[in-house]
Amino acid sequence: MAAIGAILGGLVGLVVSLSDPETPTAVTRLSFVQDPVLPGEQPSTSTDARDRFIQTQILILTGPDIHDTVADALGLGDEFTLTAQQVGATDVVELQVQSDTEISARDASTAVIEQYDQQRSASVTARVDALLAGIEAEIADLQGALNAEGDSALATATGTEYSRLLASRSQLVLLRSGDQEFTQVVGAPRASAVGGAGTVVQATLIGLLLGAVVGIALALILQRVRTE
C-alpha cells in the first residue's frame, strides 16, 4: 500500500510540475549613481539617506511608467514583469525581468535600464536648466550693479558675488553638456527559467514522500479494521 501511494504521489507531483509552465527570467545586478551635487546643494552621505535613495530608485525602476514604455516598445505581453530588491546592506540592486522567452527577458532588462537612465537624465537636466536660468538672471542684475557702482567696498562685494555666480554657471554648463550614466551594471543580464528540471524533480520527490505517508496511514487503518 505504501509503495502504491508513493508511486501515485510521485505521478501527481510530476503532473503538477509539468503543468506549471516555466517563466523565463533575466537577472541583472546594478547600482544607482547619485545625482550630481548642484551649486548651493549639500551632499548627503548618511546611511539612511543612501538607503532611502536606493529604495526610491527601485520604485522608479520597476514603476508603471518604465514598465509600460518598455512593454510598448518591445511588444511584450502580460508575462512581462519587473521586480527589484537591494542585495543585503550593499549598494547593489538585483533586477528581475520575466517575459515569455529568455531572449525577450534579456532584451527587456537592457531596455528597462536604458529607459531609467533616460528618465534620470531628463530629470537632472530640467533641474540644471531651472537653476541655470536663475543664475543667468542674477548675473545680468549684478552686471548692471557693477557698472553703476560708486562705493568701492560695495563694488568689491558685488564683484565677489559676481565671480561666484560665474563659477556656478560654468559648473552647470559643464553638467548640461556632459553625458552622465545613472546606473552601473555590475552583473550583466543572465537569463534562466524559473522552474525547469530541478523543480520537476523536487515536486516528484515531494509527491513520492507524501504518497508513501498516505499509503502507510491507509495500510495501518486497513490493518486495524481487519483485526477488529
Side-chain angles (χ1 to χ4, degrees):
M1 183 65 71
I4 296 175
I7 293 173
L8 291 176
L11 290 174
V12 170
L14 178 62
V15 170
V16 170
S17 62
L18 291 176
S19 65
D20 186 14
E22 301 173 1
T23 306
T25 302
V27 179
T28 307
R29 288 196 165 187
L30 55 94
S31 61
F32 298 116
V33 178
Q34 294 274 359
D35 288 344
V37 179
L38 302 182
E41 296 181 347
Q42 293 294 327
S44 179
T45 58
S46 69
T47 301
D48 289 343
R50 184 203 67 177
D51 288 341
R52 284 196 303 271
F53 169 76
I54 292 174
Q55 293 305 316
T56 299
Q57 300 313 308
I58 286 176
L59 292 176
I60 296 174
L61 181 69
T62 59
D65 287 346
I66 291 180
H67 176 279
D68 294 346
T69 299
V70 172
D72 292 342
L74 300 182
L76 302 176
D78 294 337
E79 292 187 2
F80 171 51
T81 62
L82 299 176
T83 57
Q85 57 277 329
Q86 188 175 358
V87 179
T90 69
D91 292 336
V92 177
V93 171
E94 188 172 86
L95 170 66
Q96 295 186 350
V97 178
Q98 293 186 343
S99 189
D100 52 350
T101 67
E102 293 185 6
I103 294 177
S104 65
R106 283 197 300 266
D107 290 344
S109 295
T110 302
V112 165
I113 296 172
E114 289 177 350
Q115 184 63 29
Y116 168 83
D117 278 336
Q118 291 176 12
Q119 288 195 10
R120 284 279 306 280
S121 178
S123 175
V124 171
T125 299
R127 290 171 53 208
V128 168
D129 287 346
L131 190 55
L132 188 58
I135 288 178
E136 292 284 12
E138 291 185 62
I139 288 175
D141 291 340
L142 285 180
Q143 282 177 334
L146 283 173
N147 293 332
E149 203 61 69
D151 188 328
S152 60
L154 190 57
T156 300
T158 303
T160 301
E161 177 64 11
Y162 183 73
S163 299
R164 185 191 68 81
L165 290 173
L166 289 178
S168 296
R169 183 177 66 178
S170 298
Q171 180 183 351
L172 291 172
V173 169
L174 185 62
L175 285 172
R176 184 70 176 78
S177 60
D179 293 329
Q180 180 171 351
E181 295 183 353
F182 294 94
T183 56
Q184 293 181 341
V185 176
V186 297
R190 47 187 176 83
S192 63
V194 178
T199 302
V200 172
V201 172
Q202 184 180 21
T204 303
L205 291 176
I206 292 175
L208 287 170
L209 178 60
L210 293 178
V213 172
V214 172
I216 292 172
L218 289 176
L220 292 174
I221 293 173
L222 288 176
Q223 183 178 6
R224 182 173 180 181
V225 169
R226 288 171 183 170
T227 56
E228 292 179 354

